[in-house]
Amino acid sequence: MAADSESPLSEVKFLTVAEVASVMRVSKMTVYRLVHSGHLPAIRVGRSFRVPEQAVHEYLRESFVGVASA
């Protein structure tokens, strides 16, 4: 996340891996792969991960592939 778009930590909404998978419509394993590869930032809480909701939206926005019209 860019420094100018960071919110105070109390305002950041964190999602579980299952919630991220639901939003992205992928499996939980895919989310784990994105986190471990560094493509999706996350924090570790105990043995589980939490992903900032804004990071999910940014990842999806950056990954969008436009279709050229013929």
Side-chain angles (χ1 to χ4, degrees), residues 38-66:
H39 288 96
L40 194 60
I43 62 167
R44 191 165 196 134
V45 179
R47 294 186 61 188
S48 58
F49 289 98
R50 296 294 185 267
V51 180
E53 185 178 37
Q54 187 62 34
V56 175
H57 295 299
E58 288 175 15
Y59 176 80
L60 291 172
R61 197 171 13 261
E62 292 170 4
S63 300
F64 186 81
V65 177

Side-chain angles (χ1 to χ4, degrees), residues 10-65:
S10 62
E11 295 178 14
V12 176
K13 181 177 179 187
F14 290 98
L15 303 175
T16 65
V17 169
E19 290 170 330
V20 174
S22 177
V23 168
M24 295 178 69
R25 298 188 190 244
V26 297
S27 71
K28 291 192 295 185
M29 186 54 67
T30 297
V31 177
Y32 283 117
R33 285 187 192 115
L34 290 170
V35 168
H36 287 293
S37 69
H39 288 96
L40 194 60
I43 62 167
R44 191 165 196 134
V45 179
R47 294 186 61 188
S48 58
F49 289 98
R50 296 294 185 267
V51 180
E53 185 178 37
Q54 187 62 34
V56 175
H57 295 299
E58 288 175 15
Y59 176 80
L60 291 172
R61 197 171 13 261
E62 292 170 4
S63 300
F64 186 81
V65 177

